[in-house]
Amino acid sequence: MSTTEKIIGIMGAIPEEINGVIALLQHQEKTVIGQRTYYTGTINNQKVVVVYSRIGKVAAATTVSTLLLRFNIDELIFTGVAGAIHPDLRVGDIVVGTSLVQHDMNAFPLFPIHEIPLLGISAFLADEAAVKKAEAAIDHLLDQQHLHQLISKEELMAFGIEHPKRYSGLIASGDQFFHQHQQKVNLQHHLGDVLCVEMEGAAVAQVCYEFGVPFTVIRTISDEANESSTIDFQRFIQKVSSCYSIEVIQQLIPMKKAL
Ligand code: ADE
């Protein structure tokens, strides 16, 4: 393999989001750094590094820093789940982040709420071309109803997943698992146009922004960010999540000619 070949980092927060992707790897090798296991190899002849970071912004930021500094990734794809904030979103829908905000960043009155101090940025914009590519891949995936062949009817019915849709827009990240309706109301009050909430994306976005590397954050809605979230989340990640991640990554990384 030539040294100029592009390397894609693929990250999730939890094993269930990423184990299926690791299983796709050819020529797999493992490296342990800072209590994370980085799996290198190829998917469809594309060189990749796959890792799960554990949950939260710090875990995600340190993991993506290692991907950048030790594995020299040229692009980052984050795949995982999120709680729905916008009322249109349903469990099973997929969100592509066009911009990402850290909803728990608040250095007011020194800096405006949500602005990253001394960086002067509140929302990190995803790379336009990467967003377009992700949107096309997900639309194709959902059109094919491929997920319906991979996930049992029982699970699809349990979650009310019939015709999942793709949405694109603002994702909010913070070190909180939303499990009360009031948390959702508060977030909507501060950030009216947020589609969904999760715990890593905007941290990954900040690090990638600082390194000048394009990132894509793709989130499947696992719960409604309210009192039922804990139950839905556990079942969703066990039964549904990894199927989504595998299919999203397969669609995003089409077969390349071997070098
Ligand atoms: N990821 C998935 N569901 C979530 C929730 N309800 N809150 C925060 N992160 C999540």
Side-chain angles (χ1 to χ4, degrees):
M1 250 174 231
S2 88
T3 49
T4 54
E5 196 187 340
K6 178 167 126 174
I7 304 172
I8 301 179
I10 302 173
M11 248 179 98
I14 51 178
E16 289 83 351
E17 290 170 340
I18 222 70
N19 281 346
V21 179
I22 293 169
L24 296 175
L25 285 177
Q26 300 220 295
H27 318 291
Q28 190 192 112
E29 279 178 34
K30 272 199 245 181
T31 312
V32 178
I33 302 168
Q35 300 187 17
R36 310 281 188 281
T37 306
Y38 296 82
Y39 295 85
T40 52
T42 59
I43 295 177
N44 295 337
N45 293 329
Q46 167 64 57
K47 211 171 172 186
V48 296
V49 192
V50 187
V51 60
Y52 78 87
S53 60
R54 299 203 296 260
I55 295 171
K57 292 189 296 157
V58 173
T62 56
T63 306
V64 74
S65 300
T66 303
L67 284 172
L68 289 157
L69 293 168
R70 296 286 287 270
F71 294 93
N72 297 315
I73 60 161
D74 300 288
E75 185 186 329
L76 190 276
I77 300 171
F78 193 105
T79 164
V81 292
I85 297 296
H86 194 284
D88 288 351
L89 263 68
R90 297 282 169 271
V91 169
D93 289 343
I94 303 181
V95 176
V96 178
T98 53
S99 59
L100 292 103
V101 62
Q102 294 175 24
H103 67 77
D104 54 357
M105 173 56 75
N106 189 356
F108 186 83
L110 301 180
F111 298 92
I113 184 168
H114 301 137
E115 183 172 305
I116 309 296
L118 308 183
L119 190 60
I121 290 182
S122 306
F124 295 94
L125 295 182
D127 179 73
E128 249 178 67
V131 165
K132 283 217 168 75
K133 200 174 146 195
E135 289 176 338
I138 290 159
D139 289 348
H140 182 71
L141 170 69
L142 295 178
D143 281 352
Q144 303 272 308
Q145 292 236 322
H146 203 43
L147 288 162
H148 284 64
Q149 289 148 35
L150 299 169
I151 301 166
S152 76
K153 270 207 178 91
E154 194 195 340
E155 294 305 329
L156 291 171
M157 269 174 64
F159 287 107
I161 302 175
E162 280 182 41
H163 302 291
K165 293 195 182 72
R166 187 264 304 163
Y167 291 84
S168 301
L170 180 64
I171 296 179
S173 316
D175 288 323
Q176 286 167 22
F177 186 82
F178 278 37
H179 62 286
Q180 287 167 337
H181 182 69
Q182 194 55 44
Q183 290 174 287
K184 191 165 167 159
V185 172
N186 293 345
L187 185 65
Q188 279 167 326
H189 173 73
H190 282 109
L191 289 163
D193 46 357
V194 167
L195 293 178
C196 62
V197 67
E198 38 86 318
M199 301 178 71
E200 299 82 20
V204 166
Q206 180 178 342
V207 178
C208 286
Y209 168 84
E210 289 172 355
F211 279 80
V213 165
F215 60 88
T216 316
V217 178
I218 299 167
R219 294 284 186 171
T220 305
I221 299 302
S222 56
D223 58 87
E224 294 191 345
N226 59 19
E227 282 69 7
S228 69
S229 281
T230 344
I231 312 161
D232 294 352
F233 180 80
Q234 291 300 346
R235 183 165 177 184
F236 194 89
I237 59 164
Q238 277 159 20
K239 307 279 183 183
V240 186
S241 214
S242 72
C243 283
Y244 265 81
S245 295
I246 297 169
E247 290 306 306
V248 164
I249 294 299
Q250 296 257 49
Q251 284 297 327
L252 261 177
I253 305 181
M255 183 60 82
K256 262 177 62 170
K257 273 197 193 141
L259 291 178

